[in-house]
Amino acid sequence: MGSVDSQQRVLSGMRPTGRLHLGHYHGVLKNWVKLQHEFECFFFVADWHALTTSYDDPSQIRENVWEMLIDWLAAGVNPGSATLFVQSQVPEHAELHLLLSMITPLGWLERAPTYKDQQDKLREKDLATYGFLGYPLLQSADILLYRAGKVPVGADQVSHVEITREIARRFNHLYGREPGFEEQAEAAIVKMGKKNARLYRSLKRRYQEEGDMEALETARALLGEQQNISLGDRERLYGYIEGGGKVLLPEPQALLTDASKMPGLDGQKMSKSYGNFIGLRESPDTVEQKVRTMPTDPQRVRRTDPGEPEKCPVWEFHKVYSDEATREWVQTGCRSAGIGCLDCKKPVIDAIVEEQRPLHERAREYESSPDLIHAIIQEGADQARDAARDTLEEVREAMGVVYR
Ligand code: SF4
């Protein structure tokens, strides 16, 4: 595992869909901004993934990549704190995908819940392709390439992390074995000193006999702190906790993120395809116009008709943006017809415009200088490639394709 602390590494990517909206901001980007201060984060634009479904019309991909990157930066994702890159600029993703494809049973991919699902949803496209079938494996390669221990995902993506875990397990099982593994692991334990050795053994026992996950985590942390053992020994001991061979590719954990609470203008989920969104860099005028024309409780036809917030999409926005006092004012005013719908929408408009102010400011800098984004992405690709090469070196070695 080299000097990589997997538990500290986070990997996340997004398909380049062009400009993002407030649903992405509240659902994903705000979380990234938080994570970038807590972990070593790799955030990438999944342009190859876009090709798995848009191979017949790739004309938009490039433009979409730039627009999306500006949105990331506008949201506060910081290239000084996280590594930002474009997948295709790190060709190691493709090599690991290929190598892992050798050991991936076809059934795992065919059974992936999204495989049939997406084919049904995108009926107008011919998705009976090799690339589309393999996209969960490409995702696994994306994660394993950085030996990332944490992958922020929504509940619908957990199955992809699960496949990745199975692939890592299979890989470690096939290639992590070496002659004399146990003897070498035992010798390595001794090198940690008496106290640590005793602790390691007891944690290992707790994990193996009782399945105690906390013991597993503590043992991993203990190994991370050891100065006296070589990198090879550390890998052995990581694997020895679980009983197998060396852990060449650590199994990632899903870092469950709450589904975005951001509703669309019509009360459905905010989505580009429903046309019910507010763009992340929408101008204040457009925000105002979009909110002013939002539908409200259909029972409230005239200003004098009382309404019911629970039946109104504007209320959903108040849940995201308003404080307790404003919400109280809405509830009472709506039900008694004390306030009009335009009055009610005003605090929402103000809150969104206020939220977007710093985003606009940050975006302006990047919108006017594409060179700046090119430089960020170039640097990000270099950093990502460094990490990726380390992994691939070990993977090639393990699979016997090294010629030196
Ligand atoms: S007053 Fe507010 S909550 Fe009530 S119907 Fe109008 S917009 Fe909706």
Side-chain angles (χ1 to χ4, degrees), residues 140-374:
S140 297
D142 297 335
I143 298 166
L144 296 174
L145 189 56
Y146 299 95
R147 290 178 280 197
K150 295 190 162 67
V151 183
V153 285
D156 53 336
Q157 292 279 311
V158 171
S159 65
H160 287 155
V161 180
E162 200 40 56
I163 289 187
T164 307
R165 292 167 60 82
E166 288 186 22
I167 288 167
R169 217 172 294 150
R170 187 168 166 86
F171 185 91
N172 295 331
H173 178 73
L174 285 168
Y175 307 112
R177 302 206 172 273
E178 53 185 352
F181 173 78
E182 288 216 359
E183 291 75 14
Q184 292 192 57
E186 285 294 333
I189 295 179
V190 174
K191 289 184 205 153
M192 291 199 291
K194 258 197 193 136
K195 196 166 136 251
N196 287 332
R198 201 174 321 119
L199 181 56
Y200 174 85
R201 284 208 169 90
S202 99
L203 291 166
K204 175 169 175 284
R205 203 172 318 114
R206 261 172 54 201
Y207 174 69
Q208 288 189 350
E209 289 172 11
E210 298 155 34
D212 183 340
M213 291 305 286
E214 223 181 289
L216 177 65
E217 292 299 313
T218 317
R220 282 182 177 153
L222 175 74
L223 291 175
E225 292 161 8
Q226 298 306 308
Q227 309 286 343
N228 299 346
I229 53 175
S230 68
L231 298 177
D233 276 346
R234 202 191 309 265
E235 282 171 14
R236 258 171 224 116
L237 292 182
Y238 272 119
Y240 198 43
I241 310 174
E242 294 170 69
K246 268 183 173 179
V247 174
L248 297 164
L249 298 175
E251 293 174 34
Q253 304 278 347
L255 204 60
L256 259 190
T257 44
D258 293 341
S260 166
K261 302 245 166 31
M262 197 65 222
L265 293 163
D266 55 0
Q268 296 187 74
K269 185 176 177 236
M270 186 176 279
S271 155
K272 245 190 181 169
S273 49
Y274 299 158
N276 63 356
F277 64 93
I278 295 179
L280 189 136
R281 282 180 276 149
E282 205 84 80
S283 75
D285 287 349
T286 315
V287 171
E288 177 162 2
Q289 180 255 328
K290 284 190 172 181
V291 177
R292 282 173 72 101
T293 50
M294 268 177 84
T296 58
D297 175 1
Q299 301 294 323
R300 223 188 152 187
V301 184
R302 283 175 296 268
R303 167 71 176 77
T304 46
D305 295 335
E308 173 49 55
E310 294 300 340
K311 293 183 183 152
C312 176
V314 179
W315 173 240
E316 298 302 317
F317 275 70
H318 278 291
K319 286 190 195 162
V320 175
Y321 286 103
S322 297
D323 58 17
E324 211 31 63
T326 312
R327 287 190 214 174
E328 193 57 49
W329 169 78
V330 173
Q331 297 255 0
T332 320
C334 177
R335 291 183 181 133
S336 63
I339 58 170
C341 289
L342 284 179
D343 303 325
C344 178
K345 289 172 172 179
K346 181 84 176 54
V348 170
I349 295 169
D350 291 348
I352 297 176
V353 169
E354 194 52 40
E355 173 178 73
Q356 291 186 328
R357 199 189 307 279
L359 277 71
H360 281 298
E361 269 166 35
R362 276 193 292 264
R364 216 164 291 134
E365 191 187 343
Y366 297 109
E367 283 161 348
S368 57
S369 53
D371 285 355
L372 196 54
I373 302 189
H374 280 110

Side-chain angles (χ1 to χ4, degrees), residues 28-40:
V28 181
L29 293 174
K30 271 167 75 175
N31 190 38
W32 283 12
V33 169
K34 189 163 96 28
L35 289 171
Q36 71 185 355
H37 299 300
E38 297 168 12
F39 298 100
E40 183 190 3

Side-chain angles (χ1 to χ4, degrees), residues 2-22:
S3 55
V4 175
D5 182 354
S6 302
Q7 293 310 305
Q8 272 304 310
R9 274 208 180 159
V10 167
L11 178 110
S12 195
M14 249 193 235
R15 284 184 183 215
T17 49
R19 287 194 173 212
L20 301 178
H21 53 63
L22 289 182

Side-chain angles (χ1 to χ4, degrees), residues 76-90:
V77 179
N78 181 349
S81 306
T83 302
L84 311 185
F85 64 99
V86 178
Q87 184 183 30
S88 63
Q89 291 193 308
V90 183

